[in-house]
Every structure is written in structure tokens, then in C-alpha cells.
Amino acid sequence: MNQTAADDNILLELRRVDLDVEGEPVARALSFRVRRGQTVCLLGPSGCGKTTTLRAIAGFQPVASGEILLNDRVVSSPDWLTPPEQRQLGMVFQDHALFPHLNVADNVTFGLRKLGRAQREGRARELLALVQLDGMEERFPHELSGGQQQRVALARALAPEPELVLLDEPFSSLDVDLREGLANQVHEIFRERGVTAVLVTHDQNEAFAMADQIGIMREGQIVQWDTPYNLYHEPVDRFVADFIGHGRFINGRLLDHDLLDTEVGVIQGNRAYGWPAGTEVDVLLRPDDVLPAPESELRARVVKKAFTGAETIYTLRLESGSEILSLFPSHHDHAIDEQVGIHIDAQHLVAFPRDDGLASGED
């Protein structure tokens, strides 16, 4: 195989991989590449095939067709399967999988039996400092919080200095605040050490906190592989638009190549649409597209509110009966049923033809 300079930086590649479980198709035509030092994420609802894909990368799941390559070497194909222990991978699981009878240091260095004792102890101290668990070498898993246990699991995965770290829903058992904070910490650790990682999750906040590239999966296929920014602002279809971020669709009609007539007035799009004038469309409004404007003639009625601290998310009902979401600064305190003035400032307008036909929401 001829390599270019750019190919030298590719650590993991999937080439049109099909995966079956008990004879049933789970994933089809999966293709993506992961560069050294990148963290990528497979994100999607339960049952979309993302965990099976991670298992295939690890070597626990054979491929029905296609190839998986590590370092430009085929490790999985229909007639070849390199065992997991020969793939130089680290794994972090949802349930931590720590050994209850071993202390923290011994859990971290469990896979380093070939090193001398002094080397193992030094590696444990280094990695525990990295995950901010200095001085906890002698504690046992039951003496740690859930977040601390997960950091021990991460240190153990990094201890053999693997080429690739695989994370399977690693924070899902933690509470929301701890989950997001730990995801940010892990991202910083990976970035500082140049770790290459593949994360699987159904939580977009985790994905956004950690990943450079995200593959949105639906029914065993990657619908869009892109940066978090592009997934939010330029989703390729209704499914991605619904799955990523918050927002509501309202009715609209295309007046010109970049001009939409909607329930909240005429909106100038930020790109040219290729549909003919008069096309009926669904227009996505994110909460940050709908701004408070007390003097505006465009009014809406407050039907729900959720105080988040610095901001309040309001659910607003338009005169037509449609509902939209809006972010107001928290000092704008409005009561249920109160009429409020709003202004639409859709910097990245997302719209789809009404007959798109793609179901939104979950599988």
C-alpha cells in the first residue's frame, strides 16, 4: 500500500466495516480515520451500534466485511482477527472494573508485571498525580468515590502506554456535574500527553467536552462525521439536528435562495438553499437564536421556564401555537403566561424541506 506523508499520522482506520451479532446486522459500511493525538467519539442513541463498533476495534467482535487497521496494519478482516491483547490498547469501562482486593497502586500497575517493583511504583505515582489522586496509593476501591474510581481506571488504562485508548460510556454511572467535570479533565490529560482515543457515549455533553471529531450514528450507520461546531450549526439532516443540542422546528417557506418566510417573520439565511421558491420547509430555531427584546412587536407567551443560574431557558408559545426555546439572562425573570418580546438572530439558520421524511428523535 502506498503511503503519503499525511497517512503516516493515521493510527486507526475503518474501511467499510460491516458488523453482525448472532447473524443480525448491527452496523454497515463504517468508514473513518483517527489521527494520532486525536480524540474521536461515536455518539448516538441506545442500540445504534456504537458499542459493538468499539468492541470490533478492540478485537472482541469480528467483522462481517471490511477492514480495521492499526498503524496501517490489518487487525480485523473477515479472515483475520488479531487478538485484543496484541493490539496495544487501553480500555476504560462504564463500571470501572477495578479489583476490589487490590489497592489503588496495584490496580494501576496490574498489567505491568514485567517491570521491576521500583518502576511499577514510580509509574503508579506518576499516573495518580496526573489524575489528581496523589497520596491515595494505599487506598482500596471501596474507599473511593465513583469519580475517583473512574480516574483510577483511567490511570490503569494509561499505565502500559497504549497506542490507543478506548472508552465505553466511561462516565454514565456518575452524576451530571461530576460527569461533565471529569470529561473535561480527561480531555486535558489526553491533550497534554498526546493520547489517541475513541469514546463511545449517548451523552452529547461528554462528546462535546472531549472529542475533536464526532461520528453521529443512527441504525448502524454514521450519519455525519464532523467537528462539534459543525454538527451543531450545520447538521446534514433532521435526525442530527434533533439529536444535537436543543431547539424546535417551526413552519417556513422559501422566498428566495437564502430568504425564508416563517412564523416569526422573514429570516435571512446564512447560505444559499437549492430548493425552488415556494418550497415548504421546517426551520430549526436553537435557544440562542431567540433573544429577549422588550420593545419588539414579535411577542410570545411563557409556558415553561428552567432556571440554570446565569441563564433561564424559556419555552415560548407563538401566536400560531408553535413553541420555541429561548435563552434569557437570569435577571430577566418572567412569569408563566406572561407575554414577552423576542428578536430572532439566527446566525446559522438550519432548514429542511417539509417532505424530508426523516423521523426525528430516538431509534
Side-chain angles (χ1 to χ4, degrees), residues 29-318:
L30 300 177
S31 295
F32 61 86
R33 308 169 98 192
V34 182
R35 297 187 177 278
R36 296 179 191 278
Q38 269 192 329
T39 295
V40 305
C41 175
L42 298 176
L43 174 65
S46 298
C48 70
K50 56 189 185 294
T51 295
T52 303
T53 303
L54 197 75
R55 287 174 51 80
I57 295 169
F60 298 121
Q61 168 70 41
V63 304
S65 65
E67 295 178 329
I68 299 176
L69 292 84
L70 280 169
N71 274 322
D72 202 36
R73 181 171 59 89
V74 174
V75 293
S76 289
S77 70
D79 55 5
W80 177 257
L81 183 68
T82 300
E85 64 272 16
Q86 296 179 20
R87 297 194 181 201
Q88 293 184 284
L89 304 176
M91 294 202 67
V92 182
F93 300 97
Q94 177 178 340
D95 60 358
H96 320 311
L98 300 180
F99 298 107
H101 63 290
L102 298 181
N103 64 25
V104 165
D106 288 341
N107 263 286
V108 170
T109 60
F110 182 78
L112 305 180
R113 299 299 174 87
K114 293 182 179 180
L115 297 182
R117 180 177 178 179
Q119 289 178 293
R120 292 200 306 271
E121 290 176 351
R123 183 74 59 83
R125 285 194 299 271
E126 174 197 356
L127 290 170
L128 289 172
L130 182 70
V131 298
Q132 301 176 10
L133 293 177
D134 318 58
M136 295 193 178
E137 290 85 352
E138 299 302 320
R139 295 193 185 184
F140 285 83
H142 72 272
E143 299 176 294
L144 304 177
S145 68
Q148 289 171 330
Q149 290 181 36
Q150 195 60 297
R151 280 183 276 165
V152 174
L154 174 63
R156 182 179 61 187
L158 295 175
E161 299 181 333
E163 291 195 291
L164 180 66
V165 175
L166 306 180
L167 303 102
D168 185 10
E169 300 274 8
F171 313 120
S172 61
S173 62
L174 308 177
D175 65 67
V176 173
D177 290 339
L178 181 58
R179 185 186 311 164
E180 294 183 12
L182 190 53
N184 281 303
Q185 290 176 23
V186 172
H187 175 67
E188 284 300 308
I189 290 170
F190 285 178
R191 186 180 58 82
E192 290 173 5
R193 295 180 71 92
V195 171
T196 309
V198 178
L199 165 72
V200 156
T201 183
H202 65 275
D203 187 320
Q204 62 178 283
N205 291 326
E206 285 178 24
F208 280 18
M210 289 189 62
D212 304 299
Q213 297 276 327
I214 298 174
I216 303 295
M217 291 192 67
R218 180 177 186 264
E219 297 180 351
Q221 295 184 314
I222 294 176
V223 182
Q224 185 172 355
W225 183 275
D226 221 324
T227 63
Y229 182 90
N230 286 344
L231 290 171
Y232 185 85
H233 290 295
E234 298 179 9
V236 296
D237 61 23
R238 281 286 302 258
F239 174 77
V240 177
D242 272 343
F243 193 77
I244 293 296
H246 300 287
R248 299 287 174 84
F249 282 94
I250 62 172
N251 295 328
R253 183 170 57 90
L254 190 67
L255 297 178
D256 200 349
H257 64 279
D258 63 349
L259 206 61
L260 297 169
D261 184 18
T262 76
E263 299 176 69
V264 292
V266 175
I267 304 176
Q268 185 87 32
N270 59 309
R271 58 181 173 176
Y273 299 105
W275 319 308
T279 299
E280 298 292 325
V281 296
D282 291 326
V283 181
L284 177 65
L285 290 181
R286 303 282 194 191
D288 48 321
D289 295 329
V290 184
L291 307 179
E295 306 304 321
S296 173
E297 293 182 3
L298 179 60
R299 316 294 288 181
R301 181 168 63 87
V302 176
V303 293
K304 292 180 186 176
K305 58 189 296 188
F307 181 75
T308 65
E311 297 170 316
T312 300
I313 300 178
Y314 285 97
T315 302
L316 305 175
R317 183 165 293 154
L318 301 171

